[in-house]
Amino acid sequence: VLRWEIPLALSKDPTHAAATIGYALGRGHAKSLHELLKKEQWIDSMSIQIDDGSGKDHCCFQIFLELTEQGLEHLQEVGLQIFQALASLKNSKIPLYLYEEKNQIAQMQYQYQSRQDAFAYIAKLGDTVADEPLATYPRSQLLASSYSAEKIEEVFSLLTPQQCAFTLLAPS
């Protein structure tokens, strides 16, 4: 797991800049980070999450990797590929169409969500309903309000090796 803490100003950001970066980085296409690491046979799976489980004052940008045996042997190269992918995405800028695509997918996932455990669903609602007026709930929880290249750049400035917490879990 690679984890970066995102401060309050960007955690509550209505443009969802961190989520937009996560979407662009994890988006499956032929030259994506996921496909590159799979081609090298370094990972079995990869997921990216923006998690506010650390409290209301900040969130965490997290990249979860399930490494293969070869991936464990090439741990530094895996890390290098991740930071190169972040730098490449930062330099090329995230296009507006990816922001729009992310919002459309989030809306469809909400509209066509599968049944959930009632208690877990109500608990989740209890955590988020106070953050938005009932008239628009859960719109701002799910959808970014606008595209902000400046906020995206701010988040990118935090996604550095120096500010990253690395966690490696292995079976005993």
Side-chain angles (χ1 to χ4, degrees):
V1 179
L2 289 84
R3 181 177 291 126
W4 294 265
E5 187 174 319
I6 306 296
L8 179 63
L10 293 170
S11 297
K12 297 287 186 188
D13 171 32
T15 69
H16 296 208
T20 301
I21 293 170
Y23 176 76
L25 188 63
R27 187 172 173 265
H29 57 84
K31 296 184 180 182
S32 70
L33 174 62
H34 178 268
E35 291 304 313
L36 174 74
L37 296 174
K38 279 291 255 192
K39 184 178 134 204
E40 295 292 335
Q41 298 180 344
W42 291 344
I43 64 167
D44 284 328
S45 66
M46 179 181 103
S47 66
I48 299 173
Q49 294 179 358
I50 313 306
D51 182 21
D52 63 356
S54 304
K56 296 277 185 186
D57 294 338
H58 62 276
C59 68
C60 290
F61 185 100
Q62 302 174 105
I63 301 175
F64 294 90
L65 301 168
E66 186 178 334
L67 297 170
T68 63
E69 290 291 328
Q70 285 182 311
L72 285 170
E73 292 170 8
H74 294 93
L75 202 52
Q76 286 188 332
E77 290 94 333
V78 171
L80 182 62
Q81 291 297 328
I82 291 168
F83 288 106
Q84 284 177 342
L86 284 167
S88 175
L89 193 56
K90 178 181 179 180
N91 292 334
S92 65
K93 309 289 184 209
I94 296 176
L96 179 62
Y97 79 87
L98 284 182
Y99 153 81
E100 292 168 344
E101 185 179 279
K102 183 192 91 47
N103 264 0
Q104 287 173 343
I105 290 172
Q107 187 170 357
M108 285 191 297
Q109 285 175 335
Y110 178 74
Q111 288 173 333
Y112 301 105
Q113 61 187 300
S114 58
R115 291 182 184 247
Q116 301 175 34
D117 173 65
F119 181 78
Y121 181 70
I122 296 300
K124 181 181 167 189
L125 288 178
D127 285 342
T128 60
V129 74
D131 296 337
E132 181 177 349
L134 285 177
T136 60
Y137 185 82
R139 181 170 174 66
S140 74
Q141 304 293 318
L142 302 170
L143 304 176
S145 62
S146 61
Y147 178 82
S148 173
E150 296 81 22
K151 293 286 186 185
I152 289 171
E153 186 64 32
E154 252 185 275
V155 174
F156 268 128
S157 73
L158 300 170
L159 303 180
T160 65
Q162 296 80 11
Q163 295 187 40
C164 182
F166 297 87
T167 306
L168 180 63
L169 302 173
S172 54

